[in-house]
Amino acid sequence: MQQVFNDIRYLVGNKEILEQMEKTQVLPLFSEKALNFLDCLSRRLMCSNKAKKYPDVIAYAFWIRRASLEKISMQYKTKDQKLGRGIAFQIAPSNIPVQFAVSMTYALTAGNASIIRISDKEFEQVDIICEGIRSILCDTYPEMASYICVIRYQHNDKITQSLTDLCDIRMIWGGNHTIAAIRKATINARCIDLGFADRYSIAVINADDYLEEDAVLLANDFYNDTYFSDQNACSSPRLVIWIGNRISKAKELFWDTLGDIVSRKYLMESICSSEKLLKTAICAAKHPGIREIKKDNLLVRIELPSLYDDIMDFKGNCGYFFECSIDNLQDIIPIMKKNCQTITYIGKIEEKLRKIINDNGVKGVDRIVPVGHAADIAFVWDGLDLPNILSRQIGNS
């Protein structure tokens, strides 16, 4: 094992910590140790001029404030004793820079030590957070050093298997291909294996309610849900569904307002334009009834005459949206498949959406949130209550 670990690069921790992590004691659920460490990291990031350039880093820092985590911990206060399971081996996604730290937070607050593998793709956000973690472990909370290793290594089945052999929890964030590749490494009999796979999300807008709201505010909220992550996040809407009596007027205002914001704020790589063109061509070959609407390549809309069952097979990113008008909310049921993660909404439709899901036994949709909250970090993710899943309960009967 020691020789295998020689090919690992460490952003936080070192080879000795990794090799000794099996001996690290588990912590109680939402322990003082974990909360103190995370609160210190929060304050360090909030004061960092480098971090202030990145809203996703500041959002993470705000989420891990002690006051925030203590409020969440109250939901898990019971008479039952809950402790961590051991070591959580986490594979972070390559396209969401801050997700490695979010995953680490899930594991630490549940009482586990963390080994987090991040991709070789360079993000300053990763460097900023790792720098903050290293400095805190060095000068403020050295007792937490044995709980965190953030690592990089080239694709290496032997390393992945060795790290899997160590772990009691495996959390794989990424596409279906990533999950399949990592799962070639077999887990021990009691290991909890969680795969956060490819998902898609949609937005549902009541046109009449929308026209009574602040168009600029809502456009900014939708921009943050989508363009900020280039629609790479599973929670970023790819399909906008309209319902109501004044859809044409609402559409025009919504997309024009969003287009103004995008033209001022968004920088798109040139390759994305050709990818959008290709996506449209492939989709049109299967569904000749679609219509492309665009002023430029920053914002491309594909208008659908109806909700095709397979439309998400053609989804794109970087400002590529399907849209469709419907007469009844029931019409969206075929889109709410297992792969559908989040519904964002505008208007007084949340309860109706929840009732449709409940009454029709829908297998998809794990979140329903207002537009602007798609990227909110939560301890229940992909329908999984992570504090409970990542910890173990010591029963008395």
Side-chain angles (χ1 to χ4, degrees):
M1 184 183 294
Q2 291 182 1
Q3 187 174 359
V4 171
F5 289 169
N6 287 338
D7 294 326
I8 291 175
R9 289 171 289 151
Y10 296 87
L11 283 77
V12 176
N14 54 48
K15 182 182 175 184
E16 182 181 359
I17 288 173
L18 185 59
E19 290 174 348
Q20 296 297 315
M21 193 172 277
E22 278 187 298
K23 299 177 183 178
T24 299
Q25 295 180 348
V26 297
L27 299 171
L29 184 66
F30 290 104
S31 68
E32 285 296 305
K33 272 189 175 183
L35 295 188
N36 287 338
F37 167 77
L38 290 166
D39 185 59
C40 187
L41 178 59
S42 171
R43 286 183 275 111
R44 188 73 57 101
L45 294 174
M46 294 280 235
C47 294
S48 166
N49 289 329
K50 290 181 181 178
K52 288 175 182 177
K53 295 190 299 182
Y54 296 101
D56 51 348
V57 177
I58 296 303
Y60 169 69
F62 190 76
W63 180 61
I64 61 171
R65 291 161 20 254
R66 186 179 185 89
S68 170
L69 295 179
E70 282 184 339
K71 183 177 179 181
I72 293 166
S73 72
M74 294 304 295
Q75 302 171 28
Y76 296 91
K77 288 285 186 184
T78 68
K79 294 179 181 179
D80 299 313
Q81 187 179 10
K82 291 185 178 179
L83 297 168
R85 293 179 179 272
I87 297 174
F89 175 36
Q90 299 146 70
I91 311 296
S94 61
N95 56 0
I96 308 295
V98 175
Q99 188 60 38
F100 86 97
V102 174
S103 186
M104 176 193 74
T105 301
Y106 290 146
L108 286 179
T109 53
N112 303 288
S114 281
I115 303 168
I116 311 115
R117 180 202 173 188
I118 62 174
S119 79
D120 286 330
K121 191 173 182 180
E122 296 289 341
F123 290 105
E124 191 176 5
Q125 297 100 308
V126 172
D127 297 335
I128 290 167
I129 295 172
C130 286
E131 181 183 344
I133 294 171
R134 287 195 304 269
S135 63
I136 292 169
L137 295 179
C138 179
D139 59 34
T140 310
Y141 289 107
E143 67 270 23
M144 289 297 293
S146 62
Y147 287 88
I148 306 169
C149 277
V150 182
I151 61 176
R152 280 187 170 126
Y153 62 88
Q154 296 295 321
H155 294 291
N156 185 311
D157 291 342
K158 289 183 178 179
I159 296 177
T160 299
Q161 185 62 66
S162 295
L163 294 173
T164 296
D165 290 341
L166 283 177
C167 76
D168 304 281
I169 303 161
R170 188 169 62 180
M171 303 167 69
I172 312 170
W173 302 86
N176 295 345
H177 293 300
T178 298
I179 292 173
I182 296 298
R183 283 185 170 163
K184 291 178 183 177
T186 57
I187 58 173
N188 65 65
R190 283 180 51 80
C191 180
I192 303 294
D193 198 18
L194 303 177
F196 298 89
D198 286 334
R199 309 291 299 278
Y200 63 79
S201 296
I202 66 177
V204 182
I205 304 176
N206 182 296
D208 305 309
D209 292 340
Y210 164 74
L211 290 170
E212 302 301 318
E213 300 291 337
D214 185 326
V216 175
L217 178 64
L218 289 174
N220 271 299
D221 286 343
F222 189 80
Y223 178 93
N224 290 335
D225 284 350
T226 53
Y227 281 89
F228 185 76
S229 63
D230 288 329
Q231 287 177 286
N232 284 322
C234 289
S235 59
S236 294
R238 313 294 184 106
L239 166 66
V240 178
I241 297 173
W242 296 90
I243 191 168
N245 297 315
R246 296 184 287 170
I247 291 177
S248 294
K249 183 177 180 180
K251 274 187 180 181
E252 183 178 3
L253 178 61
F254 180 82
W255 294 115
D256 284 349
T257 308
L258 179 64
D260 290 342
I261 293 170
V262 171
S263 65
R264 295 196 309 270
K265 297 173 68 173
Y266 185 61
L267 295 175
M268 184 178 71
E269 294 183 13
S270 56
I271 192 173
C272 296
S273 296
S274 57
E275 288 177 351
K276 290 177 182 180
L277 179 64
L278 178 61
K279 289 282 185 184
T280 301
I282 294 172
C283 185
K286 179 71 181 293
H287 300 291
I290 68 171
R291 183 168 74 101
E292 183 181 74
I293 306 170
K294 66 176 182 178
K295 291 181 180 178
D296 54 46
N297 278 318
L298 295 176
L299 173 53
V300 176
R301 300 152 54 194
I302 306 299
E303 190 175 66
L304 310 176
S306 61
L307 285 175
Y308 302 120
D309 185 64
D310 64 345
I311 194 61
M312 286 303 175
D313 293 344
F314 307 97
K315 67 182 185 292
N317 58 1
C318 300
Y320 190 84
F321 302 96
F322 298 115
E323 69 173 335
C324 188
S325 302
I326 60 174
D327 297 320
N328 192 304
L329 280 179
Q330 296 274 348
D331 296 341
I332 70 173
I333 291 175
I335 292 295
M336 296 190 291
K337 300 177 182 180
K338 288 181 181 180
N339 287 347
C340 183
Q341 187 209 62
T342 299
I343 297 179
T344 58
Y345 65 89
I346 296 174
K348 303 177 183 68
I349 54 176
E350 179 186 2
E351 291 307 314
K352 292 179 181 177
L353 289 169
R354 292 185 181 277
K355 189 174 190 305
I356 288 170
I357 291 169
N358 186 72
D359 290 353
N360 292 276
V362 172
K363 293 182 179 179
V365 185
D366 297 321
R367 304 169 69 226
I368 301 176
V369 297
V371 162
H373 293 271
D376 286 3
I377 309 169
F379 276 88
V380 176
W381 197 256
D382 273 6
L384 302 174
D385 188 332
L386 293 173
N388 281 326
I389 290 173
L390 301 179
S391 62
R392 76 187 200 279
Q393 180 174 314
I394 302 177
N396 57 6
S397 61

